[in-house]
Amino acid sequence: MSSYAVQQALNRLGIAPESLLMVHSAFKQLSRDGYDPSEVVAGFVNYMRPGTLLMPTMSWRFVNKAHPVFEELTTPSNTGVLTEIFRQKYADMRSCHPTHSVAGRGCLTQDILSSHDLDDTPCSARSPFGLHAERNGWVLLMGISIDCCTLIHAMEEHVAPELYLQPASQKETYMCRTRKGEEKSVALRRHRFLPRNYFQFQDELAREGLLRVTSIDNTIFRAFQSADMVRVVMDRLNRSPDSIMARPGDRYRMM
C-alpha cells in the first residue's frame, strides 16, 4: 500500500522513471498516517528503477572536529529514517564527504557521486548537488519545505563564497573511508549559520507554474526541475549576492 501510494504520487507529478531524482524527505506525518518507512523507500526505488535515485545522507551532526572520521557504510545519516533505509539497503554508492554525502542508486550514480571529495566546499560544481543541477534532474521535497533544499547552497557557493562559507583560514580536514576501504583526506569549509530566505524561490517557481504539488494523505510533495531553480536563484544572486539573506518580515530559517 505505502509503496503503491509513492509510485502514484511520482506519476501524478510527471516525474519519468528514467529521469534523475533527488529526494529530500521527512517521514513524521506519513508515520502518523500509518505508512511503513521500508515500503515508502521501496516505492521510490521501484518507480525509479530505470533511472537514478539520490537521497542526501547528511552527517554533520556526527562528523565534526571531535569525531573527524566519515565511513561510507557505517556513519549514520541525520536526515531521517528514509535515508537510513535507502543507504543501508538499496544504495550502490554514497559520496565521500564528511558532512554532505549523498547516497545513490541507478545508472548515473558513479558519475554524480564520485567527485564529491575533490573540492573544499560541500556543494561545489563537482558535488552531487552541482552535478545534479548540470543534468537538470528533478528535486522532490516530501513532507518538508524549501528551506531543506541543499541545491540552493550550490549557487551560494558559486556566486558569493566569501559571504556564505567560512573563510579558507578556517578550513577543516577529515578522513573519509569508502566502502572499498580507500581512505581520502577531505578538506571542508563549512556554510555560515545565517538567516536564509529560501521561500522566495519556491514562491517564484509557483508564480511561473514550475512547481508541481501533490500529496499522500497529509504529506505534501513539492517537485521542480533543478534548472528552473538554478535560473531563479542565479538571477537574484547575480543582481544582489546577499539576496538570500532574510529581511524583516521574511519567512526564513537559520542555517
Side-chain angles (χ1 to χ4, degrees), residues 38 44 52 128 172 179 192 233 241 251:
S38 294
F44 282 110
T52 302
E172 302 168 5
R179 66 181 61 204
R192 293 181 185 271
V233 176
R251 290 174 293 167

Side-chain angles (χ1 to χ4, degrees), residues 6 23-27 30 40 44 82 140-144 216 219-222:
V6 168
V23 178
H24 295 268
S25 63
F27 185 67
L30 284 174
V40 169
F44 282 110
L82 302 184
L140 173 64
L141 308 174
M142 187 190 81
I144 56 175
I216 296 178
T219 297
I220 304 299
F221 286 54
R222 297 178 179 89

Side-chain angles (χ1 to χ4, degrees), residues 27 34 36 47 55 62 81 84 88 97 103 133 139 141 151-152 156 181 187 189-190 199 211 213 218 220 243 246-247:
F27 185 67
D36 178 84
Y47 185 86
M55 289 190 181
F62 307 111
V81 63
E84 278 290 271
Q88 292 180 54
H97 195 273
V139 176
L141 308 174
L151 172 65
I152 301 173
E156 294 175 354
R189 291 172 63 190
R190 290 181 181 265
F199 293 94
L211 182 68
V213 182
N218 295 297
I220 304 299
S243 62
R247 271 63 175 180

Side-chain angles (χ1 to χ4, degrees), residues 33-214:
D33 290 336
Y35 289 85
D36 178 84
S38 294
E39 291 186 12
V40 169
V41 176
F44 282 110
V45 170
N46 292 332
Y47 185 86
M48 292 300 300
R49 198 170 296 279
T52 302
L53 176 62
L54 306 175
M55 289 190 181
T57 49
M58 312 291 191
S59 55
W60 39 263
R61 287 181 183 163
F62 307 111
V63 183
N64 48 50
K65 289 182 179 180
H67 302 92
V69 178
F70 169 85
E71 300 267 3
E72 180 184 351
L73 289 178
T74 61
T75 296
S77 163
N78 55 239
T79 45
V81 63
L82 302 184
T83 68
E84 278 290 271
I85 293 170
F86 179 68
R87 75 165 186 87
Q88 292 180 54
K89 186 174 181 180
Y90 295 105
D92 299 324
M93 180 180 179
R94 186 183 185 188
S95 65
C96 191
H97 195 273
T99 60
H100 282 65
S101 67
V102 174
R105 176 186 176 92
C107 55
L108 297 178
T109 299
Q110 180 71 26
D111 291 344
I112 292 176
L113 302 188
S114 61
S115 56
H116 202 174
D117 60 295
L118 299 180
D119 296 313
D120 65 0
T121 65
C123 305
S124 72
R126 293 189 288 185
S127 75
F129 307 100
L131 293 173
H132 180 275
E134 183 180 283
R135 293 176 180 267
N136 191 26
W138 284 93
V139 176
L140 173 64
L141 308 174
M142 187 190 81
I144 56 175
S145 59
I146 193 67
D147 53 1
C148 295
C149 181
T150 311
L151 172 65
I152 301 173
H153 282 314
M155 282 79 83
E156 294 175 354
E157 292 183 12
H158 177 72
V159 174
E162 71 288 346
L163 176 60
Y164 296 104
L165 288 162
Q166 296 293 344
S169 61
Q170 296 183 25
K171 188 183 302 183
E172 302 168 5
T173 302
Y174 292 87
M175 194 280 284
C176 296
R177 185 177 293 114
T178 72
R179 66 181 61 204
K180 296 180 180 179
E182 181 183 3
E183 295 185 355
K184 299 182 179 184
S185 178
V186 179
L188 171 63
R189 291 172 63 190
R190 290 181 181 265
H191 294 126
R192 293 181 185 271
F193 192 59
L194 299 168
R196 290 168 161 89
N197 174 14
Y198 283 4
F199 293 94
Q200 60 181 307
F201 306 123
Q202 177 176 290
D203 293 344
E204 180 60 30
L205 288 180
R207 279 192 292 269
E208 295 184 21
L210 299 172
L211 182 68
R212 301 186 183 187
V213 182
T214 190

